[in-house]
Amino acid sequence: MTLNLSEPEMRVLEELARKKDLSKTGVMKLALRLLQLVDARVEPGKKLVIEDAKTHEKSELVIL
């Protein structure tokens, strides 16, 4: 499979691979699993909220 990424996207992929000690393929597999999980959990009318454990500040994750 060929994946065409822009320079900034490739830099992000490489940085995540280094940070997570994964191959670029491993990062892409992880990203697919995460998107699949989020897509399965967020139904119309539901929100995905992220809360800071220390400040209790909440933000909504929006995926188009």
Side-chain angles (χ1 to χ4, degrees), residues 9-57:
E9 291 166 335
M10 184 56 82
R11 282 193 300 272
V12 169
L13 178 57
E14 289 169 345
E15 175 62 22
L16 285 169
R18 185 194 62 73
K19 186 177 180 181
K20 300 291 184 186
D21 195 28
L22 295 170
S23 66
K24 289 183 270 188
T25 299
V27 171
M28 294 306 297
K29 288 179 177 181
L30 182 60
L32 284 171
R33 287 194 302 269
L34 178 59
L35 182 56
Q36 183 181 35
L37 174 80
V38 169
D39 191 56
R41 301 255 174 149
V42 178
E43 299 173 11
K46 291 187 178 179
K47 296 179 181 181
L48 183 59
V49 178
I50 299 168
E51 182 178 353
D52 185 303
K54 293 179 182 177
T55 66
H56 301 289
E57 179 182 354

